[in-house]
Amino acid sequence: MTTVLSPGEEHDRFIEWAQEQGIQINGVAPAKFVGRGMGIVAARDLKKGEKLVSVPTSAILNIDTKSVKDCDFPRNISVHGRLAGYIALEHENRKSTFQPWQDVWPTKAEFNEIMPLNWEKSLQELLPEPAKDLLNAQCKKLEKDWSDLQSHLGSKVTKSLFTYAWLIVNTRCFYWDYPNLPASRLPKKRGHLTADDCYGLCPFMDYFNHADEGCDPDHDAKGYFVTANRDYKAGEEIYVTYGPHTNDFLLVEYGFILTSNRSDGTRLDHLIFSKLSKEQAEILKEDGFYGKYSSTATPPSICYRTQTALRLLTLPSRRYTAFISGNDDGSVDQPAVNSYLKKLLEGYQREIMAMEERVGELEKGVGAAQKDVLAKRWRQLREMVGTFVKELST
Ligand SMILES: C[S@@+](CC[C@H](N)C(=O)[O-])C[C@H]1O[C@@H](n2cnc3c(N)ncnc32)[C@H](O)[C@@H]1O
């Protein structure tokens, strides 16, 4: 059997602490990996279906946790913000009961390197458009949480500390919809819970890295658990899947991209928006088809919304109307739509090459990790778009 070496004393202390919280760890251990921080490995051969980690509800950090409630943050502030506020306050409290957990989280310096939110503007400018859109939305959420909470946090919590805590929540949360609570005790009534209400941080489970295929974390009224999705050999890394996310999403929300990602694709919004007249934009808005124009990498394809916008751009309006009303399956016009799409993507290929050049010209040593991830992402986009153009040419 392969022996898994301890990645350090702080991790030993954390595991002891986690077990005191009732967390059960079976046949797995944390380990350090190049390029992705900590992760989880099989400490022995494991069988498909074995429960690897269980975190009881009492150990899940959420806004129903007593110490979070005791902060008394106004309830109109987002759940993300309140958890970040709590973590920021605890960060300054050397006697925090969460200290062993905090000690194994990534550092501010690590986040400065990997999270686009913390990058220099000049580097953010080099992100693909869909990533920029996600980043803008993320910045707005952070700014709102900070402006809502700042006066409740005291002078010790700086914007930089709050941002760090906010990113800890962003990168380490699981979907927790309070199955342990009766509807009357929910932070909001169960029927009205949205994804933005359902944040829970799970000690130890937050060591798992993401892959597009991995174990599916699950939860019930007793808590969260991870079960082996297949047999594992001792020493193999075990991943969970955070969801079917594109690499642009993973980069902005989690600070990494996958080399191989079957959920990858890209948004074509910026290409299509630039072609729409004011009237066409209005029509798409009225019909509920404005924006969110997705394309997938494998197989190369576009979503229905993209089809509608391209049809409005290329066809007489009655053909567009017949398509969106369902009176026409669209196959007759597909060649014309495809030929328009091909031209659009060829234009994008030129844009991508120009961006690759700009990334290549970044000075050596300046944000080497960022340069690397940007270069990789643009290369992926070049290949993705190239494959699509080829497919449309046949
Ligand atoms: C829930 S934590 C996982 C544990 C984390 N690696 C750590 O060091 O504590 C999520 C973070 O792990 C990293 N991560 C997860 N999956 C990854 C992967 N496949 N490749 C690179 N980094 C990954 C990202 O920094 C992400 O924000």
Side-chain angles (χ1 to χ4, degrees), residues 76-113:
N76 61 337
I77 297 176
S78 81
V79 170
H80 190 156
R82 278 183 271 165
L83 285 172
Y86 172 70
I87 287 172
L89 289 170
E90 284 300 283
H91 193 269
E92 294 303 286
N93 170 13
R94 293 312 296 170
K95 290 192 194 128
S96 165
T97 46
F98 290 104
Q99 197 67 49
W101 191 12
Q102 295 179 46
D103 287 346
V104 297
W105 285 342
T107 60
K108 269 193 202 172
E110 283 167 302
F111 275 168
N112 286 345
E113 189 167 272

Side-chain angles (χ1 to χ4, degrees), residues 58-295:
S58 56
I60 297 174
L61 180 64
N62 57 62
I63 50 162
D64 191 50
T65 303
K66 185 176 177 310
S67 46
V68 180
K69 276 185 175 165
D70 287 348
C71 292
D72 231 2
F73 295 135
R75 297 185 69 166
N76 61 337
I77 297 176
S78 81
V79 170
H80 190 156
R82 278 183 271 165
L83 285 172
Y86 172 70
I87 287 172
L89 289 170
E90 284 300 283
H91 193 269
E92 294 303 286
N93 170 13
R94 293 312 296 170
K95 290 192 194 128
S96 165
T97 46
F98 290 104
Q99 197 67 49
W101 191 12
Q102 295 179 46
D103 287 346
V104 297
W105 285 342
T107 60
K108 269 193 202 172
E110 283 167 302
F111 275 168
N112 286 345
E113 189 167 272
I114 66 168
M115 297 303 295
L117 181 80
N118 288 343
W119 292 359
E120 304 268 333
K121 275 267 171 294
S122 57
L123 284 171
Q124 292 178 344
E125 280 302 313
L126 297 174
L127 288 165
E129 289 304 321
K132 275 189 204 158
D133 291 345
L134 290 164
L135 181 62
N136 279 339
Q138 190 185 54
C139 286
K140 277 190 192 143
K141 274 169 79 177
L142 168 67
E143 289 305 322
K144 169 142 185 37
D145 284 343
W146 173 240
S147 96
D148 287 351
L149 264 160
Q150 193 177 1
S151 59
H152 301 274
L153 295 174
S155 56
K156 277 195 188 153
V157 177
T158 58
K159 170 92 182 284
S160 146
L161 173 57
F162 182 74
T163 303
Y164 169 74
W166 199 88
L167 287 175
I168 285 287
V169 177
N170 209 66
T171 56
R172 305 185 88 80
C173 258
F174 289 84
Y175 183 85
W176 178 245
D177 53 3
Y178 307 90
N180 59 321
L181 294 183
S184 57
R185 272 201 51 217
L186 282 180
K188 274 186 173 184
K189 292 258 183 274
R190 194 185 297 278
H192 301 295
L193 285 180
T194 69
D196 284 343
D197 301 308
C198 298
Y199 282 57
L201 280 108
C202 301
F204 195 89
M205 256 182 60
D206 61 351
Y207 269 138
F208 281 100
N209 286 320
H210 164 81
D212 56 350
E213 204 170 346
C215 305
D216 248 335
D218 204 355
H219 63 292
D220 59 22
K222 290 195 193 126
Y224 245 106
F225 48 93
V226 175
T227 308
N229 62 323
R230 59 170 174 82
D231 292 354
Y232 285 90
K233 286 272 170 229
E236 255 189 277
E237 179 164 10
I238 303 173
Y239 296 92
V240 300
T241 161
Y242 301 171
H245 300 310
T246 64
N247 276 354
D248 287 325
F249 184 93
L250 290 174
L251 180 55
V252 173
E253 295 293 331
Y254 295 101
F256 72 96
I257 60 175
L258 292 174
T259 305
S260 154
N261 180 1
R262 64 183 177 178
S263 300
D264 205 10
T266 188
R267 284 269 175 94
L268 306 175
D269 292 29
H270 73 292
L271 299 177
I272 293 176
F273 286 161
S274 69
K275 301 287 179 207
L276 292 172
S277 66
K278 232 173 146 193
E279 291 72 31
Q280 288 169 325
E282 281 311 313
I283 293 174
L284 289 168
K285 278 180 195 163
E286 247 172 56
D287 293 340
F289 295 124
Y290 187 73
K292 297 192 185 157
Y293 302 129
S294 303
S295 70

